[in-house]
Amino acid sequence: MSRKSYYGMLLLAVICLCTGVQAAINTIPAGGTVFIGEEGLDLTAAGIDSNTQLAYWQPGNSLSNAPDYVLLVGNAINFYVNPQIFTERTGPWYRMSDQTVVLYVQDPSLAIRFYDVDTGRDATGLRVVAGEQMQFRIDNNLYPMMGRPGVAGAPVSIHVRDPNGVEYTSLINQAGVSTSLLDIPVNSGSYFTGPIWYINAPYITGIYDIWAVCNANRMRDNYEVVGKTITAVLHQPIGGGAITITIVTPTTTTPTTTTTPVPTTPVPTTTTPIPTTTVPPTTPPPSTSIPPTTTVPPTTTTPGFGALAALAAGILALIVLRKSH
């Protein structure tokens, strides 16, 4: 091998190491697990060639019956776990010729949470203050990738974006150690990163966006589904005074100040419904007093005057009668 070729290979190895690329992550051993969305897989180590028929039986269906689905492997060194075919067909897949399990297909799952290292507090979505040291927990079913040759775990990248839109590729812990957030080898179902982030300068105060992604063999590119190849985004409040934050929540006893106005609100008693309710009753009297005035026309005072007139007329008639005699 020429010196130029040697240094070229060495440089490639260094690049792979620095970028976290795991060279054999696409090599699937016999009975290995593959995930929906992965592409470029080499199935030859699993005893599968380009003419192999893979068969799938639904759970509960006996192998003595015809398979529910049969797939001809087109290219055994460039196999694609197509979501259109495999989403409803997870579990064991068999070599059709001898009904031997050659691989397992899983629907990926991925989630992320945020923990205080010192107290064990799950701080996901809660305010984290200066002086706290944090770690991430990655919940997943991707860790069986560590069964592939030379693979330490499923490569999961954590994204941390500050309120100014700056995205971090590494974080610094209390000891001053910087840890890369790219292609973290996740080797368990609930994986803890350990002390990775000390909340202090130079990190600014505000709401950080945090999420995780697994794009092994372009699985995220082919199958970008939240909760499967990419997590939901955490909106994480970071920074602020250490103890004052925890004191602020208890001091929400300020409702006592809002309760004092409540007694004063009896001002509604000045709602002068009393005058308004008495006004309606006062209107009837005027209406009853007016009709009596209409009945006054048959005034009983005129009959007295009529009696006097009649008496005078009688006397006058007697006088006229006496004169006529």
Side-chain angles (χ1 to χ4, degrees), residues 194-206:
I196 194 174
W197 190 0
Y198 182 58
I199 307 303
N200 207 337
Y203 303 110
I204 64 173
T205 298

Side-chain angles (χ1 to χ4, degrees), residues 7 21 34 48 62 64 95 97 114 131 145 190 200 252-253 298 318:
Y7 284 118
V21 174
V34 299
I48 300 171
S62 172
S64 60
R95 189 166 45 225
S97 59
F114 202 41
M145 286 186 186
S190 291
N200 207 337
T252 54
T253 53
L318 289 173

Side-chain angles (χ1 to χ4, degrees), residues 115-240:
Y115 276 79
D116 185 311
V117 175
D118 299 321
T119 66
R121 176 176 72 110
D122 184 347
T124 306
L126 305 178
R127 181 170 296 281
V128 174
V129 298
E132 290 188 85
Q133 185 161 222
M134 309 304 296
Q135 64 178 333
F136 297 100
R137 189 185 86 187
I138 301 172
D139 296 322
N140 70 101
N141 69 348
L142 302 168
Y143 66 93
M145 286 186 186
M146 64 185 294
R148 302 175 187 182
V151 177
V156 175
S157 295
I158 299 174
H159 294 259
V160 176
R161 186 168 57 206
D162 74 15
N164 292 332
V166 176
E167 190 165 319
Y168 296 90
T169 57
S170 62
L171 295 173
I172 301 172
N173 65 14
Q174 191 170 11
V177 176
S178 176
T179 302
S180 173
L181 299 177
L182 304 178
D183 292 337
I184 298 170
V186 173
N187 57 16
S188 64
S190 291
Y191 177 86
F192 285 90
T193 61
I196 194 174
W197 190 0
Y198 182 58
I199 307 303
N200 207 337
Y203 303 110
I204 64 173
T205 298
I207 305 297
Y208 283 67
D209 291 336
I210 299 172
W211 71 99
V213 172
C214 182
N215 200 27
N217 299 313
R218 298 190 69 238
M219 63 188 301
R220 193 279 303 271
D221 297 335
N222 298 321
Y223 190 49
E224 185 168 350
V225 179
V226 173
K228 297 182 183 293
T229 57
I230 183 170
T231 69
V233 178
L234 302 181
H235 302 295
Q236 189 70 48
I238 300 290

Side-chain angles (χ1 to χ4, degrees), residues 250-274:
T251 55
T252 54
T253 53
T254 50
T256 53
T257 57
T258 56
T259 54
T260 50
V262 177
T264 59
T265 54
V267 181
T269 53
T270 57
T271 57
T272 55
I274 297 157

